[in-house]
Amino acid sequence: MNIILMGPPGAGKGTQADRLVSQYGLTQISTGDLFRKALSEQTKYGVIAKYFIQFGHLVPDDYTIAMVRDHLKENTFDNGFILDGFPRTIIQARELESISREFKFKIDAIINLDIPLEKLVSRLSGRRTCQSCGATFHVEFNPPKVEGVCDKCGGELYQRPDESEEAVKVRLDTYNKQTRPLIDYYTMQGTIINVNGDQPMEDVFKDIEKCLEDK
Ligand code: AP5
Ligand code: MG
Ligand code: ZN
């Protein structure tokens, strides 16, 4: 099963993708994580993406699409994948349709985590991410057992550079202008399923599972 997981910054895409990975053996493809990895390894997509990400803008479509295309070409996904944070523009969605025809896969579900934008600032400012394994925590909603230390691997927890107040403002604005229209695009196709993202993590996951059962 191949899934697109959509939602504004901080909606819980990564959190729910982790659960889908554990429960169903799917592979997560987070474009944000791929860019951050490329950045830490100083590879071409990382160098290009650095400034866009830091200030909360989208990385230009052609680079993002090329990176996803490379990733899909170079990896195998035995049980399917979850696209977390891609597509984020209508151009990316159209390109994904053409990539899927070329690589002969289909998207089985498009899930949109729906949550009022005013709830997102606290989610983003309280998030802590593991430097080593990428696991995410939240100081209030999902605190690690030991402050500053990852439960899963013992790695050090940090705050992402795009969690500054200014960057978060730009990210939310960018979401409204560039990504929200994609909801209408998929709604017109009749393919999107809205899930209430404004409830405890377990309940969001249960709702996602219910949607997937029908697929
Ligand atoms: P990306 O890394 O994808 O960031 P994002 O979309 O802004 O989303 P986040 O990862 O911040 O949030 P999330 O939805 O994964 O939430 P999480 O589960 O962590 O992208 C970063 C940047 O890369 C972009 O700004 C752009 O520059 C670039 N980029 C990426 N993709 C691109 C594309 N396709 N095109 C162009 N550029 C692209 O949860 C957040 C916090 O809330 C956590 O602390 C978590 O513990 C907590 N939490 C989660 N769920 C709940 C819940 N139900 N209740 C309470 N707390 C919760
Ligand atoms: Mg994420
Ligand atoms: Zn870790």
Side-chain angles (χ1 to χ4, degrees), residues 105-202:
F105 63 80
K106 75 179 184 43
I107 299 294
D108 301 284
I110 302 175
I111 293 173
N112 179 46
L113 299 178
D114 200 13
I115 175 167
L117 294 196
E118 62 271 17
K119 296 278 177 85
L120 300 172
V121 177
S122 65
R123 285 208 185 172
L124 291 169
S125 59
R127 175 172 51 197
R128 299 293 180 270
T129 306
C130 175
Q131 195 94 49
S132 313
C133 76
T136 53
F137 299 88
H138 192 282
V139 288
E140 191 185 337
F141 308 131
N142 179 26
K145 292 194 184 85
V146 180
E147 197 188 319
V149 181
C150 174
D151 287 356
K152 292 189 181 155
C153 78
E156 193 185 328
L157 301 183
Y158 78 112
Q159 275 192 283
R160 276 171 33 184
D162 62 351
E163 278 158 350
S164 71
E165 204 179 312
E166 308 84 80
V168 166
K169 254 192 223 147
V170 177
R171 283 163 67 195
L172 294 177
D173 193 44
T174 303
Y175 172 79
N176 269 329
K177 289 193 179 123
Q178 292 183 262
T179 307
R180 205 183 269 286
L182 199 52
I183 298 179
D184 300 332
Y185 177 81
Y186 284 134
T187 304
M188 280 198 294
Q189 287 188 358
T191 47
I192 198 166
I193 307 165
N194 286 299
V195 166
N196 178 11
D198 187 14
Q199 46 177 348
M201 295 170 198
E202 303 69 42

Side-chain angles (χ1 to χ4, degrees), residues 10 13-15 31 36 57 59 85 88 92 127 137 171 199:
K13 301 181 293 295
T15 303
T31 37
R36 283 183 288 275
H57 297 288
V59 179
R88 255 182 234 231
Q92 292 180 14
R127 175 172 51 197
F137 299 88
R171 283 163 67 195
Q199 46 177 348

Side-chain angles (χ1 to χ4, degrees), residues 55-126:
F55 296 111
H57 297 288
L58 291 186
V59 179
D61 283 332
D62 43 356
Y63 295 114
T64 306
I65 292 160
M67 180 179 74
V68 171
R69 200 174 186 289
D70 284 356
H71 191 79
L72 289 170
K73 196 172 174 188
E74 287 159 10
N75 293 278
T76 49
F77 307 94
D78 292 337
N79 294 321
F81 55 74
I82 309 151
L83 284 170
D84 159 357
F86 182 92
R88 255 182 234 231
T89 63
I90 290 175
I91 291 176
Q92 292 180 14
R94 294 221 171 100
E95 280 300 322
L96 178 64
E97 285 156 18
S98 113
I99 293 172
S100 70
R101 282 193 293 274
E102 185 188 340
F103 294 166
K104 300 190 175 26
F105 63 80
K106 75 179 184 43
I107 299 294
D108 301 284
I110 302 175
I111 293 173
N112 179 46
L113 299 178
D114 200 13
I115 175 167
L117 294 196
E118 62 271 17
K119 296 278 177 85
L120 300 172
V121 177
S122 65
R123 285 208 185 172
L124 291 169
S125 59

